[in-house]
Each structure stands twice: as C-alpha cells, then as structure tokens.
Amino acid sequence: ALKRMLNFNVPPVKNSTGEPVWKVLIYDRFGQDIISPLLSVKELRDMGITLHLLLHSDRDAIPDVPAVYFVMPTEENIDRMCQDLRNQLYESYYLNFISAISRSKLEDIANAAISANAVTQVAKVFDQYLNFITLEDDMFVLCNQNKELVSYRAINRPDITDTEMETIMDTIVDSLFCFFVTLGAIPIIRCSRGTAAEMVAVKLDKKLRENLRDARNSLFTGDTLGAGQFSFQRPLLVLVDRNIDLATPLHHTWTYQALVHDVLDFHLNRVNLEESAGTESTPAGARPKKKNKKSYDLTSSDKFWQKHKGSPFPEVAESVQQELESYRAQEDEVKRLKSIMGIEGEDEGAISMLSDNTAKLTSAVSSLPELLEKKRLIDLHTNVATAVLEHIKSRKLDVYFEYEEKIMSKSTLDKSLLDMISDPDAGSPEDKMRLFLIYYISSAQAPSEIDLEQYKKALMDAGCNLAPLSYIKQWKAFTKMASAPTSYGNATAKPLGLFSRVMNTGSQFVMEGVKNLVLKQQNLPVTRILDNLMEMKSNPETDDYRYFDPKMLRGSDSSVPRNKNPFQEAIVFVVGGGNYIEYQNLIDYIKGKQGKHVLYGCSELFNATQFIKQVDNFDNL
C-alpha cells in the first residue's frame, strides 16, 4: 500500500526501465513510524523519493517537484499543509491521510487552496487507512506516538470515566479498521466477555457493518477485496484481553528476538547499543571516553535475523560463530584470487595460470558485494548477541528463565523461591520482582500472609520496588472471581548439558556457566485460546466467547458460531499490550499446522521493564 501511495496512488509497474518520477515525501511522526520499519532510505530512493522531511520542520520551497504528504488529519497538520499551499512550496500536492479525514477539515484545505489559487496543484487527496505499524510479515502494533493513550495502564485505571474509555476504544477500533481495509478482508470476530476486548469487538463489528451497508462508499468492494492474501476464505479475528495472562509479559525469555527486546533498547525493529569504550586504560586525569551509541536495523531483509529470531539463544551464538567461520574461509579465497592475478610480478607462471583462473575471478568479483553484506550482518549479530550475552551472564537470566518455566508449568522446584530472591549474585532487583510476581500469579492458592511477609522482606532486602505487587494482588482477587487461573501447559525447558561447540576456545562467545536450555513447545494462554477457536474445539475456556459476523444483516448476540469449519487464517489481537514471547509462541504453534497462517497484533508492545512501570503505583493515581 505504501509503495502504491509513493507512486502517486497507482500500482508501481514492475521492471519499467524509465527513471522514476523524482518527488519529495513529507510525513509527520506517525507517518515516519509507519514507513521506517518497512522501507529503507535506499528503497525510497529507488522509488524516486529524493528528500523525506517532517511536516513541522523548516522546509525550503522546491517549486518544480511534486510532493507526497503522508500525515494524520490533525488540526495542526492541516494548518501547516494550508500554509504550504499559500507559500507555493511545491509543484503539486498529493495529500494522503493515514486515517480518514473529516468533511470539515477537508473543506478547510479546499478553502486554503482557493485563497492560495492552488486548486489545480492539489493533485489528489486520499484516505489511506494505514493507521497501524507493521513490524513483521505477521506482526503489527497500533501506534508508537501517544501510545500511553491506549496503554495497559490507561485501559485498567480504576478511576477511568466512561467517556475516556470510549475514546480509547475508538482509537483502537480505528486502527483495527484500517488494518482490515488494508488486508481487504472482513473477519469473523470472537472475544471474551466482560473485558475491554469485548468493547473493541462490539465497536469494530458496528464500524465494519456500517461500511458494508454503505454500498457506494464501501471500502470492501471489488478491486480492493481479494487483493489481500486471503481471498477465498475469511479470517478469524480473536480479540484477547491482556488481563487473561499477566505472567507472560513478566517472563524471562530465551529466544533471540524476545531477549533483544527484553534486555536491550529495541524499538520499531531498531536496536540501540552502547559500545563499551575499549579496555585500554585512560591516562589519569583524562576525561573518560564517551560511549559510542550504535543503532542497527533488524529487518526482514536480514536473512540471519529472519532465520534465527525465534531460536533459543545458545543456538544463535553457535550460528553466528559458524557464519563467521564460513566467511573467513571465503575471505582467504578472495586473497588467494588476488595473489593469482599476477599481483606478485609478471612471471610466465602467473600468466599461464591466468587463463584458467579467469572464470574463477569473474565469480569472485560478482560475489564480493555479497560477501561484504554477509560480513556486515555477521558483525551486527556478533555485537547484538554479545550485548545480550553480557546480560544473561551478569543477571543469570538462564537460571531465571528455567525457574519461571518450572513455576508456570507447576513442575517441582529444585531451589526454594526465597533462596532465589535472596541470592545476591543472581539477577537485578527487577528480575527478582518479576520472578516473584510470576510465582504469585501462577499459584493456585495465594501465599498465606505469613509467607507473603517473609517474601516481601526478602524482596525489600534485595532492593526491589514492591509497588507492582499491590496491583497484581487486586488483579488476582478480581480474576479469581471471574475465572480459574490460566494454566501454562506442563512442558519445561530441558537443559542439554553445557554448550558444546560454542565452548571451543576459538569462539567469540564465552558461554561457560550459561545453561544450554532447549525449548519444548508449550502453548501459552493466548495460543491455546487461538487453537480452540481456530480449530473449533469445544473448551470451557473459550465456549462462551462472543461471536460477531459483520456480514450478517442482523447482529446477534451469541456464542454459537455459524461457521463450523476450522479456519485457515487468523489474527490474534491483544487489547492492552503484547510481547515477542507470545508472538513467537504463536509462530511456533502455526508452523506445525500446514497451510495455516496467523498474524499477531497488539495495542502496544512492551517488555517486562515497561510493563512493571505501568502497573507500578496503580493505587495512588
């Protein structure tokens, strides 16, 4: 959809030899967040975008160039666009709104265009319905700017008014509506009762229904419909409320992508690392070296990332090492070819060898760029994996991960929770708090007051902030009334003995002491719910989920699905925030189901640290 928009809203023609039309792209922060995970600067340039600028920055007039705008239809954005028209900044204007623009605001632009005598320059005005951020082929999140407006905390505030809640729900529904317009499909909606997810379902059903009724302006007609990947069968949308499972967002993790998100600064597919200043000592009195900040994009074009983002960390370290070794072998090949090229003088030997080496040389020249790109990715993942490993080792994250898996799957524990909390060498205060909260959430019976006091004291001694506990306590009491605690399957991570290959002295990664844990696929609550609804399994957990079909003339309040066949495509959307652990769990689950697809979406993406901040100090808002 973005490529079509950047091509003045006509589908780009494949392999047209002509130069692209040069143009400028003007976006606001929302537009920037939508474009940046999907299109690199190079890809933009290939599409003729020479300059990309923020709407509210000082921009010079470029009178002979068309401008493509991609912005939210807000008051201030519209004022600024009108100002651009008056100042005659560009040759022509293609105005694209991320989310639908209201009639009155459209009239404001029209009036400005008339008074600036620029009506002919405004070439097109489009509602793009792209108000969501795609992070992976199978994952999206609603927004990044103003995300605190739809955060877990915002939805679950005890003192929230009905009107505030309406506003939050409308924001979420607007984005989900955009998502389905872009997908070109009308879903069948299922949701749990009595939750924020239900409010989203009711509103989304209504919005889709109204759009389908209005035949003249429906966004789901002819040409767009079926442009999506799901033309023949409708997808299932499962709306889940974050409150059904608060343990997973706090869980320590063991797969690459989720670890990067948990311990590093990873945001909209970009990871920011602080490079530690070299080990050489600074002379006394000199200013300490400034830490370099480096950022890396982890994108779909990075083959290593695509292959290993869901792998357990030890496997990733081993693969980086293998890549490095295979690269080194090729590097020697390049050097050898160079020396063959008679670079050691013009003796007959070299010349006679040239003839049979021309073929080899040609292949070396063509594979050089490929080799250099390979080298860049190896360096990138060496740096990122090393940074992750430092956290694993200094905080004993492998121990935490394994222990939490045991708690969540109700296995026997080899070490008491108190010992874990009071071990000064294992984990940061926050790690300990996460562990305790998971224990608290997962236990069928809340610990007795006496035990609780003992735990609290140990946590205090370890320097933990206990504020999140009071919220989790209320939540547990409330959920208990609502339903039984979610179970987390009963498989646990199996240690495979310590690392074999990675322990070789030649490795980049010093892994000693880190457990080589292997994951056993066990479905998290969200995945289990999806499995029940997608495969039409009867299960008390999901039997009373409401059923909406926006295509039916009369909406009916029922839990009885009309469609009895299993679904091929599903979208799971978590109202109140999601995480990479759940995403990965769904992806692993669907791998085992042939020909089926699942997409994961959430109102925001948070790691445990950010989630704990949200449930901190809930009571004294």
Side-chain angles (χ1 to χ4, degrees):
L2 286 173
K3 284 181 170 168
R4 188 174 64 224
M5 175 186 87
L6 295 174
N7 199 38
F8 304 124
N9 288 302
V10 279
V13 185
K14 287 269 170 2
N15 55 33
S16 52
T17 44
E19 288 269 284
V21 179
W22 300 112
K23 46 192 167 302
V24 247
L25 169 63
I26 313 288
Y27 47 50
D28 59 1
R29 294 257 178 239
F30 288 92
Q32 187 179 26
D33 288 339
I34 293 168
I35 293 173
S36 66
L38 292 173
L39 297 170
S40 65
V41 175
K42 184 190 170 304
E43 289 172 291
L44 288 175
R45 194 168 307 123
D46 293 344
M47 300 182 61
I49 305 285
T50 48
L51 263 181
H52 40 98
L53 305 163
L54 279 164
L55 176 66
H56 295 282
S57 59
D58 291 328
R59 290 174 280 112
D60 300 324
I62 314 177
D64 48 355
V65 171
V68 175
Y69 285 74
F70 184 50
V71 296
M72 286 294 268
T74 60
E75 246 355 283
E76 48 187 348
N77 283 353
I78 299 219
D79 290 347
R80 185 61 190 261
M81 289 160 91
C82 295
Q83 199 182 319
D84 289 356
L85 291 173
R86 284 194 288 275
N87 298 344
Q88 302 185 342
L89 287 193
Y90 308 109
E91 175 200 57
S92 55
Y93 304 84
Y94 292 81
L95 310 181
N96 297 281
F97 296 102
I98 296 173
S99 174
I101 183 172
S102 67
R103 171 94 201 196
S104 62
K105 287 188 178 138
L106 205 51
E107 286 171 4
D108 295 344
I109 299 178
N111 288 329
I114 290 167
S115 64
N117 207 356
V119 176
T120 49
Q121 272 98 41
V122 180
K124 287 182 177 169
V125 182
F126 268 90
D127 286 333
Q128 289 292 349
Y129 293 101
L130 290 175
N131 193 13
F132 59 95
I133 299 172
T134 306
L135 294 177
E136 306 272 348
D137 290 344
D138 43 21
M139 178 181 202
F140 68 101
V141 33
L142 291 198
C143 58
N144 171 41
Q145 306 295 322
N146 310 356
K147 61 169 177 244
E148 58 287 343
L149 300 180
V150 294
S151 67
Y152 177 82
R153 186 188 182 107
I155 299 172
N156 292 283
R157 269 187 22 225
D159 57 349
I160 188 166
T161 64
D162 287 354
T163 42
E164 287 171 319
M165 193 64 168
E166 290 284 320
T167 312
I168 296 174
M169 296 298 124
D170 287 338
T171 311
I172 294 179
V173 167
D174 178 65
S175 285
L176 280 173
F177 181 76
C178 289
F179 175 81
F180 285 105
V181 171
T182 307
L183 204 60
I186 302 269
I188 280 172
I189 307 169
R190 303 293 306 263
C191 69
S192 52
R193 292 173 184 270
T195 58
E198 181 178 27
M199 297 165 79
V200 172
V202 171
K203 279 179 177 287
L204 182 62
D205 175 62
K206 181 166 178 273
K207 189 160 181 149
L208 288 165
R209 194 177 288 279
E210 281 167 4
N211 192 270
L212 286 170
R213 290 295 152 274
D214 177 5
R216 261 186 53 219
N217 300 313
S218 174
L219 296 158
F220 295 96
T221 48
D223 54 347
T224 50
L225 211 62
Q229 53 201 104
F230 319 145
S231 35
F232 51 97
Q233 202 195 12
R234 290 171 57 192
L236 166 73
L237 168 64
V238 180
L239 287 166
V240 188
D241 196 286
R242 179 71 276 157
N243 283 319
I244 59 151
D245 171 17
L246 292 187
T248 304
L250 295 164
H251 191 13
H252 286 87
T253 170
W254 201 233
T255 54
Y256 191 25
Q257 183 176 36
L259 267 168
V260 168
H261 187 233
D262 189 1
V263 302
L264 305 177
D265 172 14
F266 180 55
H267 190 64
L268 295 185
N269 293 353
R270 170 170 292 177
V271 62
N272 297 308
L273 287 184
E274 276 195 357
E275 297 202 309
S276 42
T279 40
E280 67 270 15
S281 53
T282 27
R287 287 184 25 223
K289 279 218 176 81
K290 227 180 115 241
K291 285 196 166 178
N292 279 345
K293 267 202 150 44
K294 282 209 90 154
S295 65
Y296 303 105
D297 289 316
L298 298 172
T299 61
S300 53
S301 57
D302 175 341
K303 291 200 182 68
F304 185 88
W305 177 245
Q306 284 311 317
K307 187 171 172 198
H308 292 293
K309 63 185 186 191
S311 309
F313 186 76
E315 229 172 83
V316 175
E318 200 165 322
S319 306
V320 174
Q321 193 56 32
Q322 280 167 357
E323 293 280 321
L324 196 60
E325 282 159 24
S326 81
Y327 172 77
R328 283 183 183 146
Q330 286 168 301
E331 206 172 31
D332 296 343
E333 174 72 359
V334 174
K335 286 182 187 147
R336 199 174 66 79
L337 283 164
K338 272 190 177 163
S339 65
I340 285 170
M341 274 304 287
I343 294 170
E344 315 134 317
E346 294 300 304
D347 57 14
E348 280 86 327
I351 306 293
S352 67
M353 283 173 74
L354 254 181
S355 54
D356 38 295
N357 275 306
T358 325
K360 275 190 187 166
L361 189 77
T362 327
S363 78
V365 171
S366 62
S367 64
L368 254 176
E370 214 171 281
L371 276 173
L372 295 175
E373 172 62 6
K374 198 168 176 181
K375 175 86 170 81
R376 183 185 75 80
L377 292 179
I378 292 170
D379 290 346
L380 183 161
H381 287 287
T382 304
N383 291 343
V384 172
T386 307
V388 169
L389 181 61
E390 278 170 16
H391 281 275
I392 292 179
K393 282 161 69 167
S394 67
R395 292 160 54 185
K396 299 214 172 133
L397 298 182
D398 49 336
V399 179
Y400 275 88
F401 168 70
E402 190 182 24
Y403 199 85
E404 288 165 13
E405 288 273 297
K406 285 181 176 163
I407 291 178
M408 288 163 81
S409 60
K410 315 255 189 290
S411 320
T412 42
L413 305 173
D414 47 356
K415 187 175 174 184
S416 86
L417 184 63
L418 266 173
D419 291 349
M420 283 286 286
I421 295 171
S422 27
D423 179 352
D425 299 331
S428 64
E430 188 180 78
D431 291 324
K432 297 180 175 182
M433 196 62 202
R434 283 163 66 176
L435 173 66
F436 179 69
L437 290 174
I438 288 174
Y439 162 73
Y440 190 86
I441 289 168
S442 310
S443 57
Q445 239 33 63
S448 68
E449 281 305 313
I450 305 163
D451 288 354
L452 194 58
E453 283 314 308
Q454 207 180 355
Y455 283 129
K456 274 180 157 170
K457 184 179 177 313
L459 289 164
M460 297 278 282
D461 293 347
C464 301
N465 166 16
L466 289 180
L469 180 60
S470 59
Y471 174 74
I472 297 288
K473 254 174 122 166
Q474 286 171 5
W475 169 84
K476 192 171 171 82
F478 177 75
T479 327
K480 199 175 197 139
M481 300 185 316
S483 68
T486 341
S487 82
Y488 290 87
N490 50 5
T492 49
K494 299 270 182 291
L496 256 196
L498 288 168
F499 293 76
S500 46
R501 273 197 73 248
V502 185
M503 294 301 293
N504 298 353
T505 41
S507 170
Q508 298 274 320
F509 300 99
V510 187
M511 287 284 201
E512 51 213 323
V514 177
K515 296 186 176 188
N516 190 1
L517 301 167
V518 174
L519 300 168
K520 260 186 78 180
Q521 170 67 14
Q522 65 183 49
N523 292 340
L524 292 173
V526 168
T527 308
R528 264 210 325 277
I529 289 169
L530 170 80
D531 179 51
N532 292 340
L533 296 172
M534 199 168 176
E535 302 294 336
M536 291 288 166
K537 296 179 178 169
S538 175
N539 187 306
E541 191 176 17
T542 48
D543 281 349
D544 73 332
Y545 269 47
R546 287 187 66 178
Y547 177 93
F548 296 90
D549 181 349
K551 280 193 171 176
M552 300 305 289
L553 275 170
R554 274 179 250 23
S556 61
D557 173 26
S558 82
S559 308
V560 184
R562 294 213 131 120
N563 171 0
K564 293 281 187 278
N565 302 331
F567 286 89
Q568 295 302 311
E569 326 277 355
I571 297 108
V572 174
F573 185 83
V574 188
V575 179
N579 53 66
Y580 283 107
I581 307 179
E582 245 160 27
Y583 163 66
Q584 194 52 54
N585 193 254
L586 279 170
I587 299 308
D588 293 340
Y589 156 79
I590 210 77
K591 270 186 200 146
K593 308 264 178 238
Q594 261 183 329
K596 299 203 169 197
H597 301 278
V598 63
L599 307 176
Y600 179 75
C602 49
S603 47
E604 64 169 332
L605 201 51
F606 44 57
N607 61 19
T609 309
Q610 293 157 336
F611 181 57
I612 280 190
K613 275 208 187 78
Q614 290 201 27
V615 296
D616 189 353
N617 291 332
F618 237 129
D619 33 349
N620 51 24
L621 270 170

